């Protein structure tokens, strides 16, 4: 009965708005966004106490969201509302192996899967009561590419693969055919080619569905401003509490889009918390891998010492599948190394028996964390309470400042056409000042800090080495010295991005997954941290933790 009710409701929702013929040649928009006065939305955020969500803008000044899907109107219309209702229960919240089985069984095709997500993006993003500002651009070739994949013998396709899976890229990751803007007006004409990881996805026959919004310049532009805003895409909105909860940053568009099932998965990027934060805030699984496991070539940088892309998904198995597809040694990235890990197998063999997990005593005051730990006590893992005294990280900001000062011009030289101007921080500051209301409504204090930082290369090298030593000791002091674990814990259990800075400086991987909700309904994540190159251990633990907590849910209003 529940399925029949869901199906009937979905049919009713699709049939009540924006009717249009469904022929391949019809480019009449099925979904039309109408600009509106967002002053009431802004006023709501101004009333929030103890929040950084004091917004000045919801929609970017130059944004017409109809432009996002206008080249795809003809294809979007070919999937009828009736068909969408039929396949919706077979796609929403399903993991990749399940989706692949449905395709193999003929329940729907890769083309229909792609069209389903395109319709979902256009439908919700054209509705000002539900729009998340999660997507900046769509790949106009996506449907054609999916149709070509449907010609292959489905019986030969690995169910644990990204073949035919529509995936969104954070818009600081290069993808041919779409601009790579980093959310900045200065890069709206940056038609860079594929990043290394984009090439890897294409080699594995994934569908690049489009580009996700982000905190502009990966949240290294303004100070104290709301996370998730860019001058190109506007303010991303958390679907679990629209204009109430932060969307997390800087991979905010990736987070809100996957939370609402706009794609199978998204790729985010992190320097210090930028995957962990939006994944936690949006009830997702997000991995910040060991630096060098995934190439950074073709990604707009902050710091070559700390940056990494990583997968953001609705579940652990999908995360492992996407990570496996992304790996590969890149000669152009000095940190890159060849992976020997079998992450998919690690998930399949998930096991907490014999695992020793560190529980941070100070975090047990958090009721959501405490409740999750109580559930994990019922598993076969051994939980060990650890004291972790916060340590200072002097010079961390200088790593970001000086690396970006050097790495950004290098990115321009390698990836950006000479016709694109404003190729260093000083020029970008001047460009932004020419129209501060549209380009930098929250200022550019961090850009100014980059210019002002006089740290030398010698000093920077020492800072990086010192911080790696300090932060690795921060974790190792907790991971070791526990006789009940034969002197070594397998992982530390943290919250959200609380320890992201330490993991970043230590080059340690961290994976967050849904832990539960606060009394106000805000999602929180439990974050698993291990020493470098232990992603297999993380996945082996994470899949069992996910099963024990079972905290992932679709946000209300996005369930059909």
């Amino acid at each position: 009965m529940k399925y029949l009710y869901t199906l009937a409701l979905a049919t009713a929702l699709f049939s009540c708005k924006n009717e249009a013929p469904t022929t391949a040649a019809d480019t009449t928009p099925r979904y039309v966004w109408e600009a509106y006065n967002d002053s009431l939305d802004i006023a709501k955020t101004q009333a929030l106490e103890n929040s950084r969500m004091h917004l000045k803008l919801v929609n970017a000044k130059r944004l017409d969201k109809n432009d996002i899907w206008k080249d795809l109107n003809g294809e979007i219309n070919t999937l009828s509302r009736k068909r969408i209702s039929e396949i919706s229960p077979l796609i929403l919240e399903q993991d990749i192996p399940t989706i692949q089985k449905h395709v193999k069984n003929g329940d729907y095709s890769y083309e229909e899967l792609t069209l389903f997500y395109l319709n979902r993006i256009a439908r919700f993003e054209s509705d000002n009561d539900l729009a998340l500002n999660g997507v900046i651009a769509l790949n106009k070739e996506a449907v054609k590419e999916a149709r070509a994949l449907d010609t292959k013998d489905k019986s030969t396709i690995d169910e644990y693969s990204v073949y035919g899976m529509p995936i969104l890229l954070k818009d600081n990751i290069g993808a041919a055919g779409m601009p790579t803007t980093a959310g900045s007006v200065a890069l709206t004409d940056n038609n860079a080619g594929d990043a290394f990881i984009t090439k890897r996805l294409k080699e594995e026959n994934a569908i690049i569905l489009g580009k996700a919004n982000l905190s502009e310049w990966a949240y290294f532009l303004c100070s104290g401003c709301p996370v998730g805003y860019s001058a190109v895409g506007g303010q991303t909105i958390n679907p679990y509490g629209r204009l109430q909860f932060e969307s997390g940053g800087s991979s905010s568009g990736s987070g809100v889009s996957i939370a609402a099932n706009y794609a199978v998965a998204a790729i985010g990027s992190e320097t210090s918390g930028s995957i962990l934060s939006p994944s936690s805030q949006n009830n997702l699984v997000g991995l910040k891998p060991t630096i060098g496991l995934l190439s950074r070539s073709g990604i707009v940088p902050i710091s070559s010492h700390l940056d990494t892309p990583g997968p953001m998904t609705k579940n652990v198995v999908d995360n492992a599948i996407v990570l496996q597809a992304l790996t590969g040694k890149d000669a152009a990235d000095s940190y890159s190394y060849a992976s020997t890990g079998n992450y998919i197998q690690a998930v399949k063999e998930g096991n907490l028996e014999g695992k020793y997990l560190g529980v941070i005593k100070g975090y047990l005051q958090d009721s959501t964390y405490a409740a999750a730990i109580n559930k994990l006590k019922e598993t076969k893992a051994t939980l060990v309470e650890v004291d972790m005294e916060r340590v200072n990280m002097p010079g961390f900001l200088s790593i970001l400042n000086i690396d970006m000062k050097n790495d950004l011009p290098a990115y321009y030289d390698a990836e950006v056409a000479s016709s694109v101007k404003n190729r260093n921080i000083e020029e970008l500051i001047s460009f932004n000042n020419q129209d501060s209301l549209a380009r930098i409504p929250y200022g550019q204090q961090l850009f100014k800090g980059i210019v002002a930082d006089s740290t030398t290369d010698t000093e920077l090298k020492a800072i990086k080495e010192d911080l790696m030593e300090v932060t690795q000791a921060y974790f190792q002091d907790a991971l070791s010295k526990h006789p009940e674990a034969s002197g070594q814990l397998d992982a530390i259990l943290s919250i959200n991005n609380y320890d992201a800075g330490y993991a970043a400086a230590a080059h340690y991987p961290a994976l967050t997954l849904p832990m539960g909700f606060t009394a106000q309904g805000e999602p929180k994540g439990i974050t698993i941290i291990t020493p470098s190159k232990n992603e297999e251990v993380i996945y082996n633990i994470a899949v069992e933790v996910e099963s024990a907590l079972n905290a992932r849910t679709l946000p209300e209003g996005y369930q059909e």
Side-chain angles (χ1 to χ4, degrees):
M1 288 298 293
K2 183 178 180 181
Y3 170 77
L4 291 175
Y5 171 77
T6 299
L7 191 58
L9 178 59
T11 303
L13 285 171
F14 280 117
S15 62
C16 66
K17 183 180 178 182
N18 291 326
E19 282 292 345
T22 57
T23 62
D26 180 18
T27 58
T28 303
R30 176 180 287 180
Y31 306 106
V32 178
W33 177 71
E34 295 181 1
Y36 72 107
N37 185 338
D38 56 12
S39 58
L40 291 179
D41 286 342
I42 293 169
K44 290 178 187 176
T45 72
Q46 300 291 345
L48 292 175
E49 296 182 7
N50 302 318
S51 172
R52 289 189 299 178
M53 281 194 63
H54 301 306
L55 305 183
K56 295 181 179 181
L57 296 165
V58 172
N59 298 308
K61 288 292 185 181
R62 50 190 285 145
L63 179 67
D64 182 346
K65 285 202 281 190
N66 295 300
D67 291 340
I68 296 172
W69 54 82
K70 69 178 182 181
D71 291 330
L72 289 158
N73 280 322
E75 282 94 346
I76 286 174
N77 290 347
T78 62
L79 193 66
S80 71
R81 292 170 180 79
K82 179 177 183 295
R83 184 59 178 152
I84 291 171
S85 296
E86 290 171 350
I87 63 178
S88 180
L90 308 180
I91 297 175
L92 291 182
E93 291 297 289
Q94 303 301 318
D95 60 28
I96 288 174
T98 301
I99 290 173
Q100 295 286 22
K101 287 175 184 175
H102 281 303
V103 174
K104 284 188 173 185
N105 291 339
D107 297 323
Y108 48 79
S109 64
Y110 292 119
E111 180 180 355
E112 287 183 312
L113 179 68
T114 301
L115 286 168
F116 174 85
Y117 287 122
L118 291 172
N119 269 271
R120 195 167 173 83
I121 291 168
R123 174 162 67 101
F124 286 119
E125 292 305 306
S126 63
D127 185 336
N128 288 321
D129 292 326
L130 294 170
L132 304 174
N133 288 346
V135 176
I136 284 181
L138 291 171
N139 174 13
K140 62 183 180 181
E141 302 296 326
V143 180
K144 178 182 176 181
E145 292 167 5
R147 191 179 301 128
L149 295 181
D150 278 320
T151 63
K152 184 174 180 178
D153 179 4
K154 304 291 200 311
S155 66
T156 66
I157 295 167
D158 183 358
E159 292 173 0
Y160 287 81
S161 76
V162 296
Y163 186 98
M165 296 298 102
I167 293 175
L168 289 167
L169 304 177
K170 182 177 179 180
D171 197 28
N172 61 349
I173 301 171
M178 290 175 284
T180 299
T181 72
S184 171
V185 176
L187 284 176
T188 51
D189 294 326
N190 176 26
N191 296 305
D194 289 337
F196 182 91
I197 60 168
T198 307
K199 293 176 183 176
R200 287 290 302 120
L201 287 171
K202 289 182 176 181
E203 287 166 0
E204 297 296 322
N205 292 301
I207 301 294
I208 306 303
L209 192 64
K211 294 292 200 75
N213 199 4
L214 70 162
S215 305
E216 189 168 341
W217 292 108
Y219 203 56
F220 203 64
L221 171 64
C222 48
S223 178
C225 51
V227 292
Y229 176 83
S230 79
V232 173
Q235 178 66 49
T236 55
I237 299 172
N238 189 324
Y240 291 93
R242 298 189 81 259
L243 302 172
Q244 179 184 0
F245 305 140
E246 287 188 330
S247 57
S250 65
S251 304
S252 49
S254 300
V256 304
S257 295
I258 301 308
N261 281 235
Y262 283 3
V264 168
I267 311 302
S269 70
E270 172 155 334
T271 306
S272 175
S274 290
I275 289 172
L276 299 178
S277 167
S279 296
S280 302
Q281 286 293 122
N282 290 282
N283 208 217
L284 299 176
V285 179
L287 175 73
K288 192 284 289 191
T290 303
I291 306 300
L293 177 59
L294 300 181
S295 165
R296 288 85 53 80
S297 295
I299 302 175
V300 182
I302 292 178
S303 166
S304 55
H305 181 64
L306 300 175
D307 291 348
T308 178
M312 298 170 66
T313 59
K314 298 181 289 294
N315 54 71
V316 173
V317 65
D318 287 2
N319 207 271
I321 291 169
V322 175
L323 180 69
Q324 198 80 57
L326 293 171
T327 57
K329 181 173 174 56
D330 175 14
D333 183 342
S334 61
Y335 277 90
S336 179
Y337 61 90
S339 168
T340 59
N342 189 331
Y343 311 111
I344 296 169
Q345 192 63 29
V347 169
K348 291 180 179 180
E349 297 175 354
N351 187 9
L352 288 179
E353 188 170 5
K355 296 292 193 305
Y356 289 84
L357 307 179
V359 176
I360 301 174
K361 285 183 182 179
Y363 292 171
L364 287 170
Q365 298 176 16
D366 184 299
S367 60
T368 312
Y369 182 72
I373 296 303
N374 284 334
K375 289 182 180 179
L376 293 178
K377 287 178 180 178
E378 299 174 6
T379 69
K380 294 181 179 180
T382 300
L383 303 184
V384 180
E385 292 188 8
V386 296
D387 288 307
M388 296 184 70
E389 294 292 331
R390 293 273 167 170
V391 295
N392 293 324
M393 293 198 295
F396 187 82
L397 182 58
S398 287
I399 295 177
L400 308 184
N401 285 338
I402 305 306
D403 272 359
M404 191 168 185
K405 184 184 293 185
N406 296 329
D407 295 340
L408 188 60
Y411 166 81
Y412 272 84
D413 290 343
E415 304 289 341
V416 183
S418 59
S419 58
V420 178
K421 306 303 180 185
N422 309 302
R423 304 179 74 86
N424 58 50
I425 298 298
E426 291 88 349
E427 291 174 356
L428 286 165
I429 290 173
S430 177
F431 173 80
N432 288 333
N433 282 334
Q434 293 170 16
D435 188 353
S436 59
L437 183 62
R439 297 173 185 173
I440 46 166
Y442 300 102
Q444 51 184 338
Q445 301 90 338
L446 294 179
F447 266 19
K448 292 177 181 178
I450 293 172
V451 174
D453 196 321
S454 59
T455 303
T456 66
D457 290 344
T458 301
E459 291 168 337
L460 183 66
K461 183 175 184 291
I463 289 171
K464 290 176 179 178
E465 291 173 350
D466 290 347
L467 285 186
M468 181 171 285
E469 182 178 344
V470 166
T471 53
Q472 287 184 355
Y474 169 76
F475 290 112
Q476 287 300 330
D477 286 349
L479 286 164
S480 59
K481 303 177 184 177
H482 292 282
E484 63 266 49
S486 302
Q488 182 70 38
L489 302 181
D490 294 284
I492 298 292
L493 301 180
S494 182
I495 301 174
N496 288 16
N497 60 329
Y498 289 11
D499 291 284
Y502 298 118
H507 283 198
Y508 279 11
L511 179 144
T512 192
L513 60 89
M515 177 169 69
F517 297 83
T518 67
Q520 294 74 37
E522 185 171 13
K524 279 196 170 183
I526 192 164
T527 303
I528 304 166
I529 303 172
T530 70
S532 297
K533 299 184 179 181
N534 274 281
E535 281 81 1
E536 285 176 295
V537 174
I538 286 182
Y539 282 126
N540 198 255
I541 294 169
V543 70
E544 293 298 303
V545 172
E546 176 184 53
S547 177
L549 300 182
N550 192 29
R552 166 69 194 168
T553 62
L554 257 170
E556 187 177 349
Y558 302 85
Q559 297 169 342
E560 304 296 343

